[in-house]
Every structure is written in C-alpha cells, then in structure tokens.
C-alpha cells in the first residue's frame, strides 16, 4: 500500500499576507515571530512580531527542523515580490547586501523604524490594508488586486498569481487599482530595487 503523503503545513504566505497550507515549494523563507504553540501546532495568528522579514532558503549550510515551538516560525513565499506584497522586508543577517540596498532606497531608516512604518501600512483592523493607486504609476514587482485576484505588475503585463507560479499574463491597462504592496515598499521598488522573481515570471523580466 502506498503511504499517504503528509498534509502540507500552514506556512505558505500569499500576496494578501494570508498564511495557508499548500504543497508547492517557495523560493524564499521568512518569519513574523513565533506562530507555533507548545504542542507544535500552528496557531491561527497571522503575526507575533512587527519585524516581518524575508530570508534565504539556504544560508551557510545551516539546517533546522521547521515548525518548532519556542522559536521563530518559518514561512515561505513564491518569490520576493510576493513577500513585498505581504509586507515583508529583506533580512539584515542572511541577506545583508539586499538589506543594505533596501535601507538606502528607503531613505536610510533603521530596521526598527522600517518595521514600525510597514506595520501601519500592511494592516488595518488586523486585516490586509489595500492602497488606492493608478496602474500606470506602479513599478515592476508591485502587486495589485485585479478581478479579486493578486496580479504581479511587470512591464506592460499583469501576471495572475498562484501558489505554484504565475499564470499567463494579461495586458496591463491604465486606471485606478488597489495595491497589495505597501506604499513604502512601492517607493523602494520605484527607486530601483529589483525583487527576485519566480522562474514563471522570467520570460517577461525587463532586460
């Protein structure tokens, strides 16, 4: 008898910031504090700290079991643009070069100030905060809601998001929209930060 594969853990982050269970693997990890209880089960909390960071999947050969109690809980993202949309910034430890560039482009704010600012921008009454924008003003790497589905902005296209990759693109039209990516992170993208994107977006990446 073929053994039943284990159910996926609830540790996958959507562009909306929601944490779900999904079997697809991410290209970045990160955390929002301790989200696993003493018994090792994932709580229903969406965050436990104001420092929401994005980390490398592999760093100096280190390994650790996931979903441990009493320590930060590993979350996973399709790519860095999804992490930005959810309100995460680069880790200052395992992604020092990216963090330093991010810090410069954010006006030189320190990590504590960045985290406090982002916390006001990503949540409203503990729910995802949307930001009115115009599509023609958005930089590559931003996320918007289009037909109630998260879409990545890339060139003159919008790429529908799915946990395992991006669907075929549609044309990007000008006009009003609701941005998922917080304003401070939109500003960093506009200033020249290039988030690392999933391979399903690679054919449309600007050269």
């Amino acid at each position: 008898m073929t053994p039943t594969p284990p159910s996926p853990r609830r540790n996958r982050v959507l562009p909306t910031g929601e944490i779900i269970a999904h079997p697809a693997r991410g290209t970045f990890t990160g955390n929002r504090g301790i989200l696993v209880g003493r018994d090792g089960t994932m709580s229903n909390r969406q965050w436990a700290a104001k420092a929401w960071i994005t980390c490398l999947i592999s760093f100096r050969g280190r390994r650790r079991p996931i979903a441990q109690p009493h320590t930060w809980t590993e979350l996973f993202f399709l790519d860095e643009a999804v992490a930005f949309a959810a309100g995460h910034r680069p880790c200052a430890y395992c992604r020092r070069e990216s963090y330093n560039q991010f810090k410069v482009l954010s006006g030189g704010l320190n990590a504590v100030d960045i985290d406090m600012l982002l916390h006001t921008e990503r949540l409203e009454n503990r729910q995802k905060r949307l930001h009115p924008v115009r599509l023609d003003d958005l930089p590559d790497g931003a996320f918007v809601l289009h037909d109630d589905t998260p879409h990545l902005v890339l060139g003159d296209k919008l790429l529908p998001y799915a946990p395992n990759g991006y669907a075929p693109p549609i044309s990007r039209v000008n006009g009003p929209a609701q941005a998922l990516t917080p304003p401070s992170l939109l500003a960093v993208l506009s200033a020249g930060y290039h988030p690392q994107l999933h391979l399903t977006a690679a054919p449309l990446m600007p050269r």
Side-chain angles (χ1 to χ4, degrees):
M1 181 180 294
T2 303
T4 302
S7 299
R9 296 180 184 271
R10 180 177 163 267
N11 58 16
R12 189 60 178 270
V13 181
L14 304 180
T16 57
E18 182 184 2
I19 304 171
I20 66 168
H22 196 278
R25 299 178 66 86
T27 61
F28 281 91
T29 186
N31 76 90
R32 303 173 181 178
I34 300 173
L35 300 177
V36 170
R38 294 180 180 179
D39 61 355
T41 60
M42 185 76 165
S43 72
N44 290 324
R45 301 177 70 180
Q46 293 292 312
W47 56 276
K50 293 182 179 179
W52 294 19
I53 63 175
T54 312
C55 301
L56 297 175
I57 292 286
S58 176
F59 181 65
R60 297 180 180 175
R62 298 178 184 178
R63 294 180 178 274
R64 55 175 270 155
I66 64 172
Q68 301 177 83
H70 313 300
T71 185
W72 55 269
T73 302
E74 300 84 352
L75 302 174
F76 297 91
F77 312 87
L78 176 69
D79 61 17
E80 192 176 14
V82 170
F84 263 36
H88 289 244
R89 62 161 174 84
C91 175
Y93 180 58
C94 68
R95 302 187 61 210
R96 191 70 193 185
E97 184 176 349
S98 294
Y99 172 78
N100 286 341
Q101 181 192 21
F102 176 90
K103 182 177 179 179
V104 169
L105 296 178
S106 65
L109 295 176
N110 62 39
V112 173
D113 290 338
I114 290 171
D115 294 335
M116 292 295 291
L117 176 59
L118 285 176
H119 204 64
T120 67
E121 294 181 345
R122 61 192 169 214
L123 296 172
E124 186 170 22
N125 297 323
R126 304 184 72 86
Q127 300 297 319
K128 177 66 174 177
R129 184 176 179 182
L130 301 177
H131 303 275
V133 293
R134 291 192 62 81
L135 270 174
D136 35 321
D137 294 335
L138 291 177
D140 289 342
F143 259 93
V144 296
L145 277 182
H146 179 76
D147 290 338
D148 296 323
T149 299
H151 284 65
L152 173 70
V153 175
L154 200 58
D156 62 354
K157 304 294 183 183
L158 296 178
L159 281 67
Y161 166 85
N164 60 345
Y166 296 103
I170 62 174
S171 296
R172 172 181 175 180
V173 295
N174 296 334
Q178 296 288 322
L180 293 167
T181 310
S184 294
L185 298 180
L186 290 177
V188 169
L189 293 173
S190 295
Y193 189 94
H194 298 292
Q196 297 182 45
L197 301 180
H198 190 258
L199 58 87
T200 52
L204 294 176
M205 290 181 189
R207 301 298 180 183

